[in-house]
Amino acid sequence: MSTTGELKTTSRMGRQPSTSHAELSHVALELFRVRGFDRTTVDDIVAAAGIGRRTFFRYFPSKNDLPWGDFETLLERMREHLASLPSDLPLVEALCASVIEFNRLPASEIPYHRERMELLLHVPSLLAHSTLRYASWRQVVAEFVADRLQVPEDSLEPQAIAWAFLAVSLSAYEQWLKTEDADLLELLAAAFRTLDSAFRLREHG
Amino acid sequence: MSTTGELKTTSRMGRQPSTSHAELSHVALELFRVRGFDRTTVDDIVAAAGIGRRTFFRYFPSKNDLPWGDFETLLERMREHLASLPSDLPLVEALCASVIEFNRLPASEIPYHRERMELLLHVPSLLAHSTLRYASWRQVVAEFVADRLQVPEDSLEPQAIAWAFLAVSLSAYEQWLKTEDADLLELLAAAFRTLDSAFRLREHG
DNA sequence: TTCCATTCGGCACTCGGTGTCATTAGTATC
DNA sequence: GATACTAATGACACCGAGTGCCGAATGGAA
């Protein structure tokens, strides 16, 4: 509407934010590391970050969402990776490759990722809450499968396969956390092979 | 210690309980049906049941546990079913059969089961909480697989397979809820076949 | 300077869940 | 029947997560 056609993102800015997702996340994760998730209250976090309690809940919808960094961006990357694969690559191969790609991280990030996943998989309230986040991950897989099989996204096949790949990924993660220095990508591949051979063994009854 | 050797279960009883799991469950489910899960408070439930708030939490550890009837007994039945199967029945076949058996219900129970599952899978807080209950289900499967494969229960193979079977079951349940008059057992079987063929298609690259 | 957009943060409130403890209601013993 | 013991009850206060409301703070633009 303005004469210059300037974007809303640069004009008419109000008060500047006093913190950021990254900063809150950093402060909170440190507290979780030291005192544990359950024994760290939101009041502890906002005190450490020097903001008001009310402000915290404008940055994160819940305490449970803190350990989940920018998951949506990761999902978008995975969606693109799936779309970029040649269409003659078999479905399961494509999914295995993409899941592994999705979990590839620079070596420097691995210790932090380990700590985050340790929380997400071993703190009961986070484990439970994670289910809601995984739903969007499954949706990405289901969309791809539905497109490949030419069936609706919400039909049985895409949903079952999406669930199964999530399931296998989680079992690989659990193994990864169990032993220091384990290779996550290798474990993922092994988990896929397990499922593969389990079902193959079915034949010769 | 008594001269008659009488069991503690019959002697020296104190005040009789003013309610029961079944009654609370019944009262609560009815309220959930009418007003929805989130808009029914624990105070509503205890008022309807005519008990004290504190008493409620002695019967159920949380509001989220209400829709889960006696899950442990069901698990025990599944464990026994798995153990009763001939050891030359292939692993995957045994699991498919047991999961299907686990979900077999008398026709009269089906409408109630539908309502319970509708809550468990479609109310976010219940969906999240369910993850914690599913863990014991997975444990039953993992124990069986570990025994069959002669590997530790917490190793990758049993865990991955347990996760995968849970995943496939859930996708079948979602389909079941989506359409009136669907056959749950048939959907479960179809979901297993989906996973089966997805992995089989992998071969011929 | 004035106006406006936007964020901040205090306050009161709801709801789920827990620890404590006196009370109640049964049974067995004397 | 009085008493002792047992077990469940429920009232109270408390905690922590999360929300609605609203005035105050802070910046750029007119």
Side-chain angles (χ1 to χ4, degrees):
Chain A
M1 292 301 181
S2 71
T3 53
T4 61
E6 203 157 0
L7 292 173
K8 277 187 186 154
T9 45
T10 53
S11 71
R12 280 298 193 192
M13 299 294 273
R15 176 175 176 172
Q16 64 194 1
S18 63
T19 183
S20 65
H21 285 81
E23 185 189 341
L24 283 183
S25 186
H26 183 260
V27 167
L29 270 287
E30 179 61 21
L31 286 177
F32 295 162
R33 198 181 61 78
V34 175
R35 311 170 52 170
F37 182 83
D38 289 322
R39 306 200 321 159
T40 303
T41 70
V42 173
D43 285 324
D44 292 336
I45 299 169
V46 301
I51 62 170
R53 170 184 177 71
R54 196 64 185 80
T55 300
F56 172 83
F57 287 106
R58 289 200 185 91
Y59 281 83
F60 292 91
S62 78
K63 181 187 169 189
N64 285 334
D65 285 298
L66 267 171
W68 290 87
D70 191 357
F71 194 56
E72 291 305 316
T73 299
L74 287 181
L75 282 187
E76 197 46 47
R77 259 186 33 202
M78 176 155 146
R79 191 179 278 117
E80 285 165 11
H81 186 265
L82 279 167
S84 76
L85 293 174
S87 62
D88 60 345
L89 186 65
L91 182 64
V92 171
E93 304 275 3
L95 287 171
C96 290
S98 288
V99 171
I100 288 176
E101 199 53 39
F102 179 72
N103 287 287
R104 192 183 298 281
L105 289 173
S108 61
E109 286 288 331
I110 289 184
Y112 302 102
H113 189 52
R114 248 192 135 84
E115 258 178 40
R116 281 214 340 253
M117 295 309 295
E118 179 75 34
L119 286 175
L120 290 177
L121 293 183
H122 291 346
V123 174
S125 61
L126 291 176
L127 181 59
H129 182 74
S130 299
T131 305
L132 307 177
R133 294 304 203 93
Y134 295 147
S136 12
W137 189 93
R138 286 191 288 115
Q139 183 59 21
V140 172
V141 174
E143 280 172 15
F144 175 77
V145 174
D147 184 59
R148 274 292 185 97
L149 300 183
Q150 293 293 302
V151 295
E153 280 172 25
D154 64 348
S155 60
L156 182 62
E157 295 90 343
Q159 294 295 324
I161 291 175
W163 261 118
F165 272 85
L166 173 61
V168 169
S169 301
L170 290 177
S171 63
Y173 261 103
E174 280 180 2
Q175 294 299 312
W176 183 57
L177 291 177
K178 209 170 288 174
T179 52
E180 198 76 23
D181 293 329
D183 182 343
L184 175 59
L185 304 190
E186 192 46 56
L187 283 169
L188 281 166
F192 291 133
R193 281 195 301 271
T194 289
L195 207 56
D196 191 47
S197 59
F199 275 91
R200 212 188 307 283
L201 277 172
R202 189 184 189 183
E203 316 274 358
H204 58 61
Chain B
M1 290 300 184
S2 72
T3 54
T4 60
E6 204 156 1
L7 292 173
K8 277 187 186 152
T9 45
T10 54
S11 70
R12 280 296 191 192
M13 300 293 275
R15 177 176 176 172
Q16 66 195 1
S18 63
T19 184
S20 65
H21 285 82
E23 185 189 343
L24 283 183
S25 187
H26 183 260
V27 167
L29 269 288
E30 180 59 21
L31 287 176
F32 295 161
R33 198 181 61 77
V34 175
R35 312 168 51 171
F37 182 84
D38 289 323
R39 306 200 323 159
T40 303
T41 69
V42 174
D43 284 325
D44 292 336
I45 299 169
V46 301
I51 62 169
R53 170 184 177 70
R54 195 64 183 81
T55 300
F56 172 84
F57 287 107
R58 290 200 185 92
Y59 282 82
F60 292 91
S62 79
K63 182 187 169 190
N64 285 334
D65 285 297
L66 266 172
W68 289 88
D70 192 356
F71 194 57
E72 291 305 315
T73 297
L74 287 182
L75 282 187
E76 197 45 48
R77 257 186 34 202
M78 175 154 145
R79 190 179 278 117
E80 284 165 12
H81 186 265
L82 279 168
S84 76
L85 294 174
S87 62
D88 61 345
L89 186 65
L91 182 63
V92 171
E93 305 273 5
L95 288 172
C96 290
S98 289
V99 171
I100 288 176
E101 199 52 40
F102 179 71
N103 287 287
R104 191 184 298 282
L105 289 174
S108 61
E109 287 289 330
I110 290 184
Y112 302 102
H113 190 51
R114 248 192 134 83
E115 257 177 42
R116 280 212 343 252
M117 294 311 293
E118 180 74 35
L119 287 174
L120 290 176
L121 293 183
H122 290 346
V123 174
S125 62
L126 290 176
L127 181 59
H129 182 74
S130 300
T131 305
L132 307 178
R133 294 304 204 91
Y134 295 149
S136 14
W137 189 93
R138 287 191 288 116
Q139 183 58 22
V140 171
V141 174
E143 280 172 15
F144 174 76
V145 174
D147 184 59
R148 275 292 185 95
L149 301 183
Q150 293 291 303
V151 295
E153 279 171 24
D154 65 347
S155 59
L156 182 62
E157 294 90 343
Q159 295 295 324
I161 291 174
W163 260 118
F165 271 85
L166 173 61
V168 169
S169 302
L170 291 176
S171 64
Y173 261 102
E174 280 180 3
Q175 294 300 312
W176 183 57
L177 293 177
K178 209 170 290 173
T179 54
E180 198 74 24
D181 293 329
D183 182 343
L184 175 58
L185 304 191
E186 193 46 56
L187 282 169
L188 281 167
F192 291 135
R193 282 195 300 272
T194 289
L195 207 57
D196 191 47
S197 58
F199 275 92
R200 212 189 306 285
L201 277 170
R202 191 184 188 183
E203 316 273 359
H204 59 62

